Amino acid sequence: MKIAKKIGAIICCTVLATCFFIQNASSQEVISLQQAVEKTLNNNLQIKQSQLDESLAVENLSQSKYALYPTLNGNASAGKSFGQYRNQTTLEVTNQNSTSINGGLDAGVDLFRGFQKINQIRQNRILLDVNKTATEKVKNDLVLQVITQYLQVLYNKDFLRAAQDQLIVSNQLLKREQALLDAGSKTLADISLAKSQAATSELNVTNANNALTISYITLAQLMDIPSSARYEVQAPSLDKFKKMQDSIDAEGLYQKALGEFPDIKLASLNTAAAAKGIDIAKGNYYPSISLGAGVQTLYSDPSRFGGTFSEQLNDNLGQNVGLRLQIPIFNGFAARSSVRKAKINYVQSQTQEQLAKNNLNKVIYQAVADLKGADSRYSSTLNAFNAQKDAFYAVEQRYNVGLDNSLDFNTAQTNRNKAEIDFIQAKYDLLFREKVIDYYLGKPITF
């Protein structure tokens, strides 16, 4: 009787928990895959950080343009001198204190600097595109993470449902075995086997529930909403699966992705920026010409120069203008070294670009192969699941009339459960593989 009460309590708790889950879920926000992607793109801090890098690149470009403008700087100084002073006319030594003020303006402009400033502007334009593309890449990577985690939530929901169904069946078997044992028709070995099956099913429910909770939290963190947020995800309809496996051309998909995929665009722009870096470094080989001009004046107390403040500023006013030519002759091979390093950097960028293309080619061909394999596995696991359901139903009927023992029943139940889990995995694997292809095609990710 104690076992029967325990079984009844377990079933009651399971039913109440399921009812609570259903009632609670109905009042929660239901988030579609497209909404999950949009929330991630709007809220994720990685994107905001990348956008701040874009803002810095904009400022760098503006500053390189401003570097073409002339410079204008003012200067001023003031001082006081005191001590003995010998008059050169009378040769008398006297004590003297004097105050002086100096001021001026200096202007300058680079007329030629080996095209370095122009090339710096061009490189900064490219680097701005690099940062914009880097933001696209961050978004692209996050979209794939959202797809993966969203489908993980769906898989864990189905896995939990299957585990709960298994627990109900196991508890029903345990209850029946206990009744038969009480009637003297079963042995302790039979009831022990049923208890073991029920305990395993209960553990499976606990593990499935924990996995579902973790997957919800992980998806919430991707969307940058509170981890405690309560929400539901929208399950796809398998009727919407597209039979596009035979029509997909891996090479055509690769060629299309070459022109659109952010990873390739980013690598290509980095190569272009490195090429411009060589031009900047070569500018150190050229002479530089600059134009400068200035105005200076000073004031000292009347004991030295006489005159009022304004009179002295006017009388002591001086101007200058001049050209400055600087020819690099020898600077410790600094110019040569900078050019060589820029060329090495360019080759490295070219290599990285080719590696990105090779990786994309590999990933796309693998994705197409995985999709075809997932389609075959889905069909196979569906057929196996249907067959195991029929087999379990037959064994269950025979067990109910005493033609099969509890071992046969448990074996049939285990086979059915395994077939269902395999089918759930295959279902979401196929859906994921289809969304990966849409991802590389640049299509909106929806169910």
Side-chain angles (χ1 to χ4, degrees):
M1 292 298 294
K2 290 182 179 179
I3 295 177
K5 289 181 179 179
K6 183 178 180 182
I7 295 172
I10 292 174
I11 294 174
C12 182
C13 290
T14 302
V15 172
L16 289 174
T18 304
C19 291
F20 173 77
F21 178 80
I22 294 173
Q23 181 180 5
N24 198 31
S26 63
S27 62
Q28 295 170 10
E29 178 187 8
V30 178
I31 298 178
S32 67
L33 177 57
Q34 182 62 32
Q35 289 173 328
V37 170
E38 290 174 355
K39 285 179 181 290
T40 299
L41 297 182
N42 290 333
N43 300 336
N44 195 273
L45 293 180
Q46 293 181 48
I47 297 174
K48 293 180 180 180
Q49 286 180 327
S50 186
Q51 289 171 338
L52 288 173
D53 289 338
E54 283 186 47
S55 299
L56 289 175
V58 170
E59 287 302 317
N60 288 337
L61 176 58
S62 298
Q63 185 57 52
S64 61
K65 291 179 179 178
Y66 297 148
L68 296 175
Y69 295 176
T71 60
L72 178 64
N73 297 287
N75 61 83
S77 63
K80 186 175 182 62
S81 60
F82 48 87
Q84 292 182 334
Y85 170 75
R86 183 182 294 276
N87 191 307
Q88 298 299 318
T89 303
T90 64
L91 299 179
E92 294 180 352
V93 177
T94 60
N95 290 324
Q96 180 175 317
N97 295 329
S98 64
T99 301
S100 62
I101 299 175
N102 298 277
L105 289 173
D106 294 299
V109 61
D110 287 326
L111 301 180
F112 181 75
R113 194 172 286 275
F115 305 106
Q116 284 185 310
K117 291 187 176 182
I118 297 297
N119 286 322
Q120 187 65 65
I121 292 173
R122 292 170 179 171
Q123 186 187 55
N124 285 346
R125 281 201 186 101
I126 298 173
L127 291 175
L128 175 57
D129 289 336
V130 166
N131 280 274
K132 290 180 179 179
T133 307
T135 301
E136 291 179 25
K137 183 182 183 309
V138 171
K139 292 179 179 179
N140 222 38
D141 293 344
L142 284 170
V143 167
L144 190 58
Q145 292 180 45
V146 171
I147 297 170
T148 304
Q149 196 56 43
Y150 192 95
L151 293 177
Q152 186 64 48
V153 173
L154 290 172
Y155 166 73
N156 287 337
K157 284 183 64 179
D158 276 8
F159 186 76
L160 175 60
R161 177 192 54 75
Q164 289 171 335
D165 291 343
Q166 294 167 21
L167 178 60
I168 292 174
V169 173
S170 297
N171 285 333
Q172 289 173 345
L173 173 64
L174 178 57
K175 183 178 180 181
R176 186 176 185 278
E177 292 291 286
Q178 182 63 48
L180 292 174
L181 177 65
D182 294 340
S185 301
K186 290 290 182 178
T187 66
L188 288 176
D190 294 321
I191 196 68
S192 296
L193 185 61
K195 287 180 180 179
S196 175
Q197 183 68 30
T200 300
S201 297
E202 189 172 359
L203 178 61
N204 290 338
V205 169
T206 300
N207 291 337
N209 194 40
N210 289 339
L212 179 59
T213 300
I214 292 172
S215 60
Y216 267 120
I217 292 173
T218 304
L219 181 58
Q221 290 172 344
L222 278 174
M223 295 186 291
D224 202 27
I225 62 176
S227 298
S228 60
R230 307 287 296 178
Y231 64 95
E232 269 301 312
V233 293
Q234 188 178 71
S237 171
L238 294 185
D239 297 335
K240 295 181 180 179
F241 275 17
K242 302 178 185 120
K243 273 288 190 181
M244 60 178 181
Q245 292 85 335
D246 296 332
S247 62
I248 293 178
D249 173 33
E251 184 61 29
L253 179 58
Y254 168 66
Q255 293 298 330
K256 184 176 187 297
L258 277 178
E260 299 178 2
F261 207 60
D263 297 59
I264 306 302
K265 291 169 63 177
L266 182 61
S268 177
L269 287 168
N270 279 326
T271 300
K276 196 55 61 179
I278 296 175
D279 294 335
I280 295 172
K282 286 182 177 179
N284 292 318
Y285 288 140
Y286 293 90
S288 62
I289 303 174
S290 59
L291 173 65
V295 178
Q296 302 84 31
T297 189
L298 64 89
Y299 163 82
S300 185
D301 58 30
S303 62
R304 295 189 63 187
F305 295 103
T308 64
F309 180 79
S310 59
E311 289 174 337
Q312 285 198 36
L313 291 181
N314 184 61
D315 293 340
N316 297 324
L317 183 65
Q319 302 89 26
N320 66 81
V321 63
L323 281 172
R324 183 171 182 268
L325 173 65
Q326 184 174 0
I327 303 173
I329 297 176
F330 181 76
N331 292 290
F333 300 108
R336 186 182 69 173
S337 179
S338 64
V339 172
R340 288 181 175 179
K341 288 190 288 187
K343 288 181 178 179
I344 293 172
N345 186 49
Y346 174 67
V347 175
Q348 286 179 326
S349 297
Q350 284 183 313
T351 304
Q352 289 297 325
E353 182 179 357
Q354 189 58 51
L355 285 173
K357 291 178 180 179
N358 293 347
N359 184 64
L360 180 64
N361 182 276
K362 176 184 176 181
V363 168
I364 286 181
Y365 270 82
Q366 184 67 49
V368 173
D370 287 343
L371 176 60
K372 294 179 180 180
D375 182 60
S376 299
R377 184 168 179 265
Y378 172 77
S379 299
S380 299
T381 55
L382 176 60
N383 293 335
F385 179 44
N386 289 331
Q388 289 296 338
K389 281 195 298 183
D390 294 340
F392 174 71
Y393 176 76
V395 171
E396 184 180 32
Q397 297 303 310
R398 291 173 59 83
Y399 172 76
N400 289 335
V401 296
L403 295 178
D404 279 335
N405 57 36
S406 58
L407 179 60
D408 295 328
F409 183 88
N410 283 328
T411 301
Q413 182 187 5
T414 300
N415 291 337
R416 178 201 175 280
N417 294 344
K418 182 179 183 305
E420 183 176 14
I421 292 172
D422 289 343
F423 170 66
I424 293 172
Q425 289 176 332
K427 176 177 69 174
Y428 287 108
D429 184 52
L430 175 58
L431 184 57
F432 173 72
R433 301 301 173 186
E434 287 194 347
K435 295 308 166 188
V436 167
I437 297 299
D438 287 342
Y439 169 77
Y440 286 117
L441 287 172
K443 294 182 179 179
I445 306 300
T446 58
F447 284 143

PDB file of all heavy atoms in Angstrom, residues 283-312:
ATOM      1  N   GLY A 283      56.110  56.480 -48.381  1.00  0.00           N
ATOM      2  CA  GLY A 283      56.184  57.941 -48.302  1.00  0.00           C
ATOM      3  C   GLY A 283      57.385  58.437 -47.526  1.00  0.00           C
ATOM      4  O   GLY A 283      57.817  59.589 -47.698  1.00  0.00           O
ATOM      5  N   ASN A 284      57.950  57.552 -46.666  1.00  0.00           N
ATOM      6  CA  ASN A 284      59.134  57.957 -45.902  1.00  0.00           C
ATOM      7  C   ASN A 284      60.384  58.099 -46.776  1.00  0.00           C
ATOM      8  O   ASN A 284      61.381  58.666 -46.338  1.00  0.00           O
ATOM      9  CB  ASN A 284      59.406  56.929 -44.794  1.00  0.00           C
ATOM     10  CG  ASN A 284      58.336  56.932 -43.726  1.00  0.00           C
ATOM     11  OD1 ASN A 284      57.874  57.980 -43.298  1.00  0.00           O
ATOM     12  ND2 ASN A 284      57.916  55.748 -43.297  1.00  0.00           N
ATOM     13  N   TYR A 285      60.349  57.548 -47.998  1.00  0.00           N
ATOM     14  CA  TYR A 285      61.490  57.680 -48.910  1.00  0.00           C
ATOM     15  C   TYR A 285      61.554  59.072 -49.536  1.00  0.00           C
ATOM     16  O   TYR A 285      62.609  59.504 -50.016  1.00  0.00           O
ATOM     17  CB  TYR A 285      61.398  56.655 -50.040  1.00  0.00           C
ATOM     18  CG  TYR A 285      61.679  55.232 -49.622  1.00  0.00           C
ATOM     19  CD1 TYR A 285      60.917  54.186 -50.141  1.00  0.00           C
ATOM     20  CD2 TYR A 285      62.714  54.919 -48.750  1.00  0.00           C
ATOM     21  CE1 TYR A 285      61.172  52.866 -49.780  1.00  0.00           C
ATOM     22  CE2 TYR A 285      62.972  53.610 -48.389  1.00  0.00           C
ATOM     23  CZ  TYR A 285      62.199  52.580 -48.905  1.00  0.00           C
ATOM     24  OH  TYR A 285      62.465  51.285 -48.555  1.00  0.00           O
ATOM     25  N   TYR A 286      60.432  59.799 -49.585  1.00  0.00           N
ATOM     26  CA  TYR A 286      60.357  61.059 -50.319  1.00  0.00           C
ATOM     27  C   TYR A 286      60.770  62.247 -49.453  1.00  0.00           C
ATOM     28  O   TYR A 286      60.599  62.220 -48.226  1.00  0.00           O
ATOM     29  CB  TYR A 286      58.930  61.297 -50.816  1.00  0.00           C
ATOM     30  CG  TYR A 286      58.464  60.324 -51.864  1.00  0.00           C
ATOM     31  CD1 TYR A 286      57.822  59.135 -51.511  1.00  0.00           C
ATOM     32  CD2 TYR A 286      58.642  60.596 -53.224  1.00  0.00           C
ATOM     33  CE1 TYR A 286      57.383  58.244 -52.463  1.00  0.00           C
ATOM     34  CE2 TYR A 286      58.206  59.708 -54.187  1.00  0.00           C
ATOM     35  CZ  TYR A 286      57.582  58.533 -53.803  1.00  0.00           C
ATOM     36  OH  TYR A 286      57.153  57.646 -54.754  1.00  0.00           O
ATOM     37  N   PRO A 287      61.274  63.319 -50.102  1.00  0.00           N
ATOM     38  CA  PRO A 287      61.491  64.570 -49.370  1.00  0.00           C
ATOM     39  C   PRO A 287      60.152  65.151 -48.937  1.00  0.00           C
ATOM     40  O   PRO A 287      59.101  64.822 -49.501  1.00  0.00           O
ATOM     41  CB  PRO A 287      62.184  65.480 -50.388  1.00  0.00           C
ATOM     42  CG  PRO A 287      62.670  64.566 -51.462  1.00  0.00           C
ATOM     43  CD  PRO A 287      61.726  63.418 -51.511  1.00  0.00           C
ATOM     44  N   SER A 288      60.206  66.025 -47.950  1.00  0.00           N
ATOM     45  CA  SER A 288      58.996  66.719 -47.507  1.00  0.00           C
ATOM     46  C   SER A 288      59.224  68.221 -47.583  1.00  0.00           C
ATOM     47  O   SER A 288      60.333  68.707 -47.345  1.00  0.00           O
ATOM     48  CB  SER A 288      58.631  66.312 -46.075  1.00  0.00           C
ATOM     49  OG  SER A 288      59.657  66.673 -45.175  1.00  0.00           O
ATOM     50  N   ILE A 289      58.160  68.917 -47.960  1.00  0.00           N
ATOM     51  CA  ILE A 289      58.220  70.374 -48.088  1.00  0.00           C
ATOM     52  C   ILE A 289      57.098  70.968 -47.253  1.00  0.00           C
ATOM     53  O   ILE A 289      55.948  70.533 -47.348  1.00  0.00           O
ATOM     54  CB  ILE A 289      58.064  70.827 -49.551  1.00  0.00           C
ATOM     55  CG1 ILE A 289      59.140  70.180 -50.441  1.00  0.00           C
ATOM     56  CG2 ILE A 289      58.145  72.347 -49.648  1.00  0.00           C
ATOM     57  CD1 ILE A 289      58.950  70.471 -51.920  1.00  0.00           C
ATOM     58  N   SER A 290      57.438  71.952 -46.446  1.00  0.00           N
ATOM     59  CA  SER A 290      56.425  72.610 -45.628  1.00  0.00           C
ATOM     60  C   SER A 290      56.628  74.121 -45.685  1.00  0.00           C
ATOM     61  O   SER A 290      57.732  74.609 -45.900  1.00  0.00           O
ATOM     62  CB  SER A 290      56.489  72.123 -44.173  1.00  0.00           C
ATOM     63  OG  SER A 290      57.759  72.379 -43.612  1.00  0.00           O
ATOM     64  N   LEU A 291      55.556  74.843 -45.517  1.00  0.00           N
ATOM     65  CA  LEU A 291      55.552  76.299 -45.524  1.00  0.00           C
ATOM     66  C   LEU A 291      55.200  76.776 -44.126  1.00  0.00           C
ATOM     67  O   LEU A 291      54.256  76.274 -43.509  1.00  0.00           O
ATOM     68  CB  LEU A 291      54.532  76.839 -46.529  1.00  0.00           C
ATOM     69  CG  LEU A 291      54.296  78.343 -46.541  1.00  0.00           C
ATOM     70  CD1 LEU A 291      55.558  79.083 -46.986  1.00  0.00           C
ATOM     71  CD2 LEU A 291      53.124  78.687 -47.461  1.00  0.00           C
ATOM     72  N   GLY A 292      55.980  77.730 -43.630  1.00  0.00           N
ATOM     73  CA  GLY A 292      55.721  78.248 -42.292  1.00  0.00           C
ATOM     74  C   GLY A 292      55.733  79.763 -42.263  1.00  0.00           C
ATOM     75  O   GLY A 292      56.391  80.415 -43.076  1.00  0.00           O
ATOM     76  N   ALA A 293      54.991  80.345 -41.339  1.00  0.00           N
ATOM     77  CA  ALA A 293      54.957  81.794 -41.158  1.00  0.00           C
ATOM     78  C   ALA A 293      54.678  82.088 -39.691  1.00  0.00           C
ATOM     79  O   ALA A 293      54.104  81.256 -38.983  1.00  0.00           O
ATOM     80  CB  ALA A 293      53.883  82.432 -42.044  1.00  0.00           C
ATOM     81  N   GLY A 294      55.117  83.283 -39.241  1.00  0.00           N
ATOM     82  CA  GLY A 294      54.903  83.601 -37.842  1.00  0.00           C
ATOM     83  C   GLY A 294      54.936  85.084 -37.569  1.00  0.00           C
ATOM     84  O   GLY A 294      55.434  85.874 -38.377  1.00  0.00           O
ATOM     85  N   VAL A 295      54.398  85.454 -36.429  1.00  0.00           N
ATOM     86  CA  VAL A 295      54.387  86.837 -35.952  1.00  0.00           C
ATOM     87  C   VAL A 295      54.797  86.808 -34.484  1.00  0.00           C
ATOM     88  O   VAL A 295      54.266  86.002 -33.711  1.00  0.00           O
ATOM     89  CB  VAL A 295      52.997  87.480 -36.102  1.00  0.00           C
ATOM     90  CG1 VAL A 295      53.021  88.911 -35.556  1.00  0.00           C
ATOM     91  CG2 VAL A 295      52.547  87.466 -37.551  1.00  0.00           C
ATOM     92  N   GLN A 296      55.772  87.693 -34.107  1.00  0.00           N
ATOM     93  CA  GLN A 296      56.216  87.733 -32.719  1.00  0.00           C
ATOM     94  C   GLN A 296      56.320  89.198 -32.255  1.00  0.00           C
ATOM     95  O   GLN A 296      56.556  90.098 -33.057  1.00  0.00           O
ATOM     96  CB  GLN A 296      57.592  87.070 -32.540  1.00  0.00           C
ATOM     97  CG  GLN A 296      57.687  85.621 -32.982  1.00  0.00           C
ATOM     98  CD  GLN A 296      57.949  85.481 -34.480  1.00  0.00           C
ATOM     99  OE1 GLN A 296      58.597  86.356 -35.068  1.00  0.00           O
ATOM    100  NE2 GLN A 296      57.429  84.424 -35.091  1.00  0.00           N
ATOM    101  N   THR A 297      56.146  89.397 -30.991  1.00  0.00           N
ATOM    102  CA  THR A 297      56.328  90.715 -30.393  1.00  0.00           C
ATOM    103  C   THR A 297      56.668  90.544 -28.926  1.00  0.00           C
ATOM    104  O   THR A 297      56.549  89.440 -28.381  1.00  0.00           O
ATOM    105  CB  THR A 297      55.071  91.589 -30.559  1.00  0.00           C
ATOM    106  OG1 THR A 297      55.373  92.922 -30.137  1.00  0.00           O
ATOM    107  CG2 THR A 297      53.918  91.043 -29.732  1.00  0.00           C
ATOM    108  N   LEU A 298      57.121  91.652 -28.292  1.00  0.00           N
ATOM    109  CA  LEU A 298      57.450  91.548 -26.872  1.00  0.00           C
ATOM    110  C   LEU A 298      57.245  92.903 -26.195  1.00  0.00           C
ATOM    111  O   LEU A 298      57.200  93.952 -26.840  1.00  0.00           O
ATOM    112  CB  LEU A 298      58.884  91.051 -26.662  1.00  0.00           C
ATOM    113  CG  LEU A 298      60.048  91.935 -27.165  1.00  0.00           C
ATOM    114  CD1 LEU A 298      60.476  92.929 -26.081  1.00  0.00           C
ATOM    115  CD2 LEU A 298      61.233  91.067 -27.554  1.00  0.00           C
ATOM    116  N   TYR A 299      57.164  92.846 -24.892  1.00  0.00           N
ATOM    117  CA  TYR A 299      57.037  94.058 -24.067  1.00  0.00           C
ATOM    118  C   TYR A 299      57.968  93.902 -22.873  1.00  0.00           C
ATOM    119  O   TYR A 299      58.087  92.813 -22.289  1.00  0.00           O
ATOM    120  CB  TYR A 299      55.596  94.228 -23.569  1.00  0.00           C
ATOM    121  CG  TYR A 299      55.482  95.191 -22.414  1.00  0.00           C
ATOM    122  CD1 TYR A 299      55.437  96.570 -22.653  1.00  0.00           C
ATOM    123  CD2 TYR A 299      55.452  94.734 -21.099  1.00  0.00           C
ATOM    124  CE1 TYR A 299      55.363  97.462 -21.595  1.00  0.00           C
ATOM    125  CE2 TYR A 299      55.371  95.628 -20.037  1.00  0.00           C
ATOM    126  CZ  TYR A 299      55.323  96.982 -20.290  1.00  0.00           C
ATOM    127  OH  TYR A 299      55.255  97.876 -19.248  1.00  0.00           O
ATOM    128  N   SER A 300      58.664  95.002 -22.562  1.00  0.00           N
ATOM    129  CA  SER A 300      59.466  95.041 -21.339  1.00  0.00           C
ATOM    130  C   SER A 300      59.193  96.369 -20.652  1.00  0.00           C
ATOM    131  O   SER A 300      58.745  97.327 -21.278  1.00  0.00           O
ATOM    132  CB  SER A 300      60.954  94.903 -21.674  1.00  0.00           C
ATOM    133  OG  SER A 300      61.723  94.832 -20.500  1.00  0.00           O
ATOM    134  N   ASP A 301      59.455  96.407 -19.362  1.00  0.00           N
ATOM    135  CA  ASP A 301      59.101  97.644 -18.645  1.00  0.00           C
ATOM    136  C   ASP A 301      59.895  98.825 -19.196  1.00  0.00           C
ATOM    137  O   ASP A 301      60.970  98.660 -19.789  1.00  0.00           O
ATOM    138  CB  ASP A 301      59.322  97.487 -17.139  1.00  0.00           C
ATOM    139  CG  ASP A 301      60.751  97.122 -16.784  1.00  0.00           C
ATOM    140  OD1 ASP A 301      61.658  97.507 -17.522  1.00  0.00           O
ATOM    141  OD2 ASP A 301      60.943  96.437 -15.763  1.00  0.00           O
ATOM    142  N   PRO A 302      59.374 100.047 -19.046  1.00  0.00           N
ATOM    143  CA  PRO A 302      59.961 101.247 -19.675  1.00  0.00           C
ATOM    144  C   PRO A 302      61.408 101.514 -19.324  1.00  0.00           C
ATOM    145  O   PRO A 302      62.106 102.218 -20.041  1.00  0.00           O
ATOM    146  CB  PRO A 302      59.058 102.374 -19.165  1.00  0.00           C
ATOM    147  CG  PRO A 302      57.778 101.699 -18.808  1.00  0.00           C
ATOM    148  CD  PRO A 302      58.154 100.337 -18.307  1.00  0.00           C
ATOM    149  N   SER A 303      61.916 100.928 -18.225  1.00  0.00           N
ATOM    150  CA  SER A 303      63.294 101.221 -17.826  1.00  0.00           C
ATOM    151  C   SER A 303      64.295 100.696 -18.853  1.00  0.00           C
ATOM    152  O   SER A 303      65.431 101.132 -18.876  1.00  0.00           O
ATOM    153  CB  SER A 303      63.582 100.616 -16.454  1.00  0.00           C
ATOM    154  OG  SER A 303      63.447  99.203 -16.498  1.00  0.00           O
ATOM    155  N   ARG A 304      63.873  99.725 -19.681  1.00  0.00           N
ATOM    156  CA  ARG A 304      64.804  99.177 -20.675  1.00  0.00           C
ATOM    157  C   ARG A 304      64.532  99.707 -22.074  1.00  0.00           C
ATOM    158  O   ARG A 304      65.443 100.111 -22.781  1.00  0.00           O
ATOM    159  CB  ARG A 304      64.706  97.654 -20.691  1.00  0.00           C
ATOM    160  CG  ARG A 304      65.168  97.013 -19.385  1.00  0.00           C
ATOM    161  CD  ARG A 304      65.260  95.514 -19.491  1.00  0.00           C
ATOM    162  NE  ARG A 304      66.263  95.129 -20.463  1.00  0.00           N
ATOM    163  CZ  ARG A 304      66.479  93.870 -20.868  1.00  0.00           C
ATOM    164  NH1 ARG A 304      65.703  92.912 -20.396  1.00  0.00           N
ATOM    165  NH2 ARG A 304      67.418  93.600 -21.752  1.00  0.00           N
ATOM    166  N   PHE A 305      63.275  99.705 -22.492  1.00  0.00           N
ATOM    167  CA  PHE A 305      62.964 100.088 -23.871  1.00  0.00           C
ATOM    168  C   PHE A 305      62.170 101.384 -23.971  1.00  0.00           C
ATOM    169  O   PHE A 305      62.128 101.998 -25.007  1.00  0.00           O
ATOM    170  CB  PHE A 305      62.188  98.980 -24.579  1.00  0.00           C
ATOM    171  CG  PHE A 305      62.986  97.719 -24.746  1.00  0.00           C
ATOM    172  CD1 PHE A 305      62.762  96.624 -23.929  1.00  0.00           C
ATOM    173  CD2 PHE A 305      63.968  97.618 -25.719  1.00  0.00           C
ATOM    174  CE1 PHE A 305      63.497  95.470 -24.077  1.00  0.00           C
ATOM    175  CE2 PHE A 305      64.699  96.458 -25.871  1.00  0.00           C
ATOM    176  CZ  PHE A 305      64.475  95.371 -25.041  1.00  0.00           C
ATOM    177  N   GLY A 306      61.536 101.785 -22.924  1.00  0.00           N
ATOM    178  CA  GLY A 306      60.714 102.977 -22.982  1.00  0.00           C
ATOM    179  C   GLY A 306      59.432 102.728 -23.751  1.00  0.00           C
ATOM    180  O   GLY A 306      59.300 101.754 -24.476  1.00  0.00           O
ATOM    181  N   GLY A 307      58.480 103.618 -23.618  1.00  0.00           N
ATOM    182  CA  GLY A 307      57.232 103.491 -24.351  1.00  0.00           C
ATOM    183  C   GLY A 307      56.181 102.734 -23.566  1.00  0.00           C
ATOM    184  O   GLY A 307      56.461 101.983 -22.639  1.00  0.00           O
ATOM    185  N   THR A 308      54.934 102.977 -23.956  1.00  0.00           N
ATOM    186  CA  THR A 308      53.817 102.294 -23.294  1.00  0.00           C
ATOM    187  C   THR A 308      53.726 100.853 -23.781  1.00  0.00           C
ATOM    188  O   THR A 308      54.446 100.431 -24.685  1.00  0.00           O
ATOM    189  CB  THR A 308      52.510 103.025 -23.607  1.00  0.00           C
ATOM    190  OG1 THR A 308      52.255 102.950 -25.002  1.00  0.00           O
ATOM    191  CG2 THR A 308      52.594 104.503 -23.181  1.00  0.00           C
ATOM    192  N   PHE A 309      52.787 100.119 -23.162  1.00  0.00           N
ATOM    193  CA  PHE A 309      52.597  98.701 -23.503  1.00  0.00           C
ATOM    194  C   PHE A 309      52.254  98.541 -24.982  1.00  0.00           C
ATOM    195  O   PHE A 309      52.876  97.746 -25.709  1.00  0.00           O
ATOM    196  CB  PHE A 309      51.485  98.124 -22.621  1.00  0.00           C
ATOM    197  CG  PHE A 309      51.213  96.673 -22.886  1.00  0.00           C
ATOM    198  CD1 PHE A 309      52.029  95.671 -22.370  1.00  0.00           C
ATOM    199  CD2 PHE A 309      50.122  96.286 -23.674  1.00  0.00           C
ATOM    200  CE1 PHE A 309      51.772  94.333 -22.609  1.00  0.00           C
ATOM    201  CE2 PHE A 309      49.862  94.958 -23.919  1.00  0.00           C
ATOM    202  CZ  PHE A 309      50.696  93.967 -23.391  1.00  0.00           C
ATOM    203  N   SER A 310      51.263  99.306 -25.473  1.00  0.00           N
ATOM    204  CA  SER A 310      50.844  99.184 -26.871  1.00  0.00           C
ATOM    205  C   SER A 310      51.934  99.666 -27.825  1.00  0.00           C
ATOM    206  O   SER A 310      52.123  99.098 -28.912  1.00  0.00           O
ATOM    207  CB  SER A 310      49.548  99.973 -27.106  1.00  0.00           C
ATOM    208  OG  SER A 310      49.743 101.338 -26.795  1.00  0.00           O
ATOM    209  N   GLU A 311      52.681 100.712 -27.420  1.00  0.00           N
ATOM    210  CA  GLU A 311      53.755 101.205 -28.283  1.00  0.00           C
ATOM    211  C   GLU A 311      54.853 100.156 -28.429  1.00  0.00           C
ATOM    212  O   GLU A 311      55.372  99.938 -29.524  1.00  0.00           O
ATOM    213  CB  GLU A 311      54.335 102.501 -27.705  1.00  0.00           C
ATOM    214  CG  GLU A 311      53.400 103.691 -27.824  1.00  0.00           C
ATOM    215  CD  GLU A 311      53.945 104.913 -27.107  1.00  0.00           C
ATOM    216  OE1 GLU A 311      54.787 104.736 -26.190  1.00  0.00           O
ATOM    217  OE2 GLU A 311      53.530 106.032 -27.448  1.00  0.00           O
ATOM    218  N   GLN A 312      55.217  99.510 -27.325  1.00  0.00           N
ATOM    219  CA  GLN A 312      56.265  98.490 -27.406  1.00  0.00           C
ATOM    220  C   GLN A 312      55.819  97.295 -28.253  1.00  0.00           C
ATOM    221  O   GLN A 312      56.609  96.743 -29.027  1.00  0.00           O
ATOM    222  CB  GLN A 312      56.642  98.007 -25.995  1.00  0.00           C
ATOM    223  CG  GLN A 312      57.477  99.007 -25.219  1.00  0.00           C
ATOM    224  CD  GLN A 312      58.191  98.346 -24.049  1.00  0.00           C
ATOM    225  OE1 GLN A 312      58.623  97.207 -24.160  1.00  0.00           O
ATOM    226  NE2 GLN A 312      58.316  99.093 -22.959  1.00  0.00           N
TER     227      GLN A 312
END
